[in-house]
Amino acid sequence: MSPADFRRYALFYLGYYGALGAYTPYIGRWVTANGHGGYVVGAMLALWYGGRIVAPPTWARLSARSATPGHWLIAGCVLAALGFAAFAGFAHGAMLFVVMAWFGVFFNAVMPQFEAMTLSALGPRNHDYGRIRMWGSVGFLVVAGTYGWLLDRLGNDAFVWLTLPWLALTVAAAWLHRDDRPPPVSSTGTTPRGELWRRPGVRHLLVTALLMQLGFGPFYVFYTLHLQAQGHDGFAVGVLWAIGVLCEIGMFWLAPRLVQRFGAHRLMTACLLATIGRWVIVAMFGGSFAWMALAQTGHALSFAAFHAGCMRRMAELFPQRREMAAAQGLLYGFSGGIGGVAGAGVAAVAWQLGGGRWAFLAGAALACVALAAHVLPARAVRPVAVSET
């Protein structure tokens, strides 16, 4: 990949995850500021993750059949930006959920497509994925680390307007990929999704990723609200998010060497162990900034290294480039979609019953289940060199 191509791919991750850095930490704050309770927050995030179930596989099929997949990327980004802008006019009633569903579908549709484009462009150098994906963490860091302070001063109504520029950057970055061409399709055509699902090792990876996502439910839905309930102000909340993302950035830079040295399976095992400890700390010591800062350093393993390990396993399990878009859609929809919806539901119930402590203890319990599923004997799958077909 040339330096110019590296910048094109990095810019899209920067814009996309910059927008996500506003949405994930602060959508719950915006919803509660408009008078809604924990169940509405959970329902909003469930709709968000629900978009990952339907949109990625559908979008992957449509873009894979197109001679100009870059045009599909642009269209998805434009529709996502328009959907998010509608939040400015619909903060209450049924339309709030309609707008959420619209935004969730299109915003979630484009990332699996772009992940496949990135891995395809990298080819056999897929271990360098983390150094491109790191720029998404930079965008997330800038936004998540500052928007708590900004919303304290500008008011929660500014949330939508502060987020839209990042979505506009995503559209602009997608435009740079408008002429990208799909990888050559072999004479055997596109592999059916059922065949991808039945491939040895795939279900084991998907179940592990789904359970990990379940355990992240309380974090994505209620972490900011949990910190506020424990007495932390907007500045402290932003700093804690920033600590996590800084550690994430460092890990994405180191991940290629760690994956090559230890292998994806052992690295993911360490990530799951770290995640269990992280959620227990958040549950039990939420009032302590020092303990919360320590817990946030765990984001390096529980998110960044785990994600890099998943991407390495995906490249091993789906060595043919023509399969990658469908495979990414399968992973994104199954783990991020089903796991996200279920995780938001579990988090909402636990939050209503016992607040942040119960929610994060539930997350720790789910991470334990994920660890058990991961270390259970699985049918061995020999890594295959990435093919150029």
Side-chain angles (χ1 to χ4, degrees):
M1 181 179 289
S2 69
D5 283 336
F6 183 96
R7 288 192 292 271
R8 282 196 308 139
Y9 284 90
L11 184 64
F12 186 87
Y13 282 108
L14 178 72
Y16 187 94
Y17 284 99
L20 197 62
Y23 178 86
T24 301
Y26 300 113
I27 185 67
R29 172 173 171 167
W30 180 75
V31 171
T32 56
N34 284 304
H36 303 293
Y39 284 128
V40 174
V41 176
M44 289 282 287
L45 270 294
L47 283 169
W48 159 259
Y49 287 115
R52 295 184 174 185
I53 300 173
V54 178
T58 304
W59 205 260
R61 287 196 298 270
L62 293 171
S63 61
R65 294 171 182 169
S66 173
T68 54
H71 293 179
W72 285 92
L73 184 69
I74 295 167
C77 292
V78 169
L79 291 168
L82 292 174
F84 194 87
F87 278 127
F90 300 103
H92 300 89
M95 282 302 298
L96 173 65
F97 298 105
V98 172
V99 171
M100 181 68 254
W102 175 283
F103 173 64
V105 163
F106 290 108
F107 193 75
N108 284 312
V110 297
M111 183 46 71
Q113 179 195 358
F114 193 76
E115 294 271 46
M117 291 167 67
T118 302
L119 291 171
S120 178
L122 286 169
R125 296 186 58 83
N126 60 75
H127 54 274
D128 283 335
Y129 164 83
R131 289 172 184 166
I132 298 176
R133 172 60 179 80
M134 178 191 74
W135 288 97
S137 302
V138 171
F140 196 102
L141 168 66
V142 170
V143 177
T146 59
Y147 275 31
W149 179 84
L150 283 172
L151 292 174
D152 279 354
R153 281 147 185 79
L154 300 178
N156 291 303
D157 289 341
F159 168 71
V160 175
W161 306 108
L162 288 171
T163 307
L164 284 174
W166 291 96
L167 290 164
L169 176 59
T170 305
V171 173
W175 180 259
L176 299 178
H177 293 270
R178 64 191 181 277
D179 295 324
D180 286 9
R181 290 289 179 264
V185 178
S186 73
S187 59
T188 58
T190 303
T191 306
R193 291 187 66 213
E195 184 179 328
L196 300 179
W197 170 260
R198 290 190 297 270
R199 186 168 299 180
V202 171
R203 282 169 288 183
H204 186 254
L205 174 64
L206 292 178
V207 168
T208 300
L210 180 147
L211 290 168
M212 181 65 141
Q213 184 70 49
L214 269 168
F216 260 85
F219 180 72
Y220 287 135
V221 181
F222 292 113
Y223 183 62
T224 294
L225 298 179
H226 176 58
L227 293 176
Q228 289 181 318
Q230 295 294 322
H232 301 286
D233 61 14
F235 178 77
V237 171
V239 169
L240 288 169
W241 277 98
I243 290 171
V245 182
L246 280 170
C247 294
E248 174 188 318
I249 292 170
M251 180 55 72
F252 271 127
W253 188 258
L254 295 172
R257 280 175 283 178
L258 294 178
V259 170
Q260 288 184 306
R261 179 173 180 181
F262 298 107
H265 187 273
R266 281 191 289 176
L267 182 60
M268 291 167 69
T269 301
C271 295
L272 288 160
L273 287 168
T275 302
I276 295 167
R278 181 186 180 189
W279 298 151
V280 171
I281 291 173
V282 174
M284 304 306 296
F285 305 105
S288 167
F289 183 87
W291 277 108
M292 291 301 92
L294 175 64
Q296 280 296 84
T297 64
H299 203 61
L301 288 170
S302 59
F303 178 76
F306 187 84
H307 184 70
C310 282
M311 291 299 102
R312 177 57 176 260
R313 289 295 293 135
M314 291 293 287
E316 293 170 352
L317 292 168
F318 303 101
Q320 293 185 339
R321 292 169 62 182
R322 63 185 173 84
E323 298 176 333
M324 188 56 70
Q328 285 292 337
L330 185 65
L331 174 67
Y332 208 65
F334 187 80
S335 62
I338 298 174
V341 171
V346 169
V349 172
W351 177 270
Q352 289 295 124
L353 292 175
R357 176 168 292 188
W358 278 39
F360 282 96
L361 287 176
L366 289 164
C368 288
V369 178
L371 176 64
H374 179 66
V375 299
L376 285 175
R379 186 176 177 182
V381 179
R382 180 182 296 178
V384 184
V386 176
S387 170
E388 291 299 312
T389 59

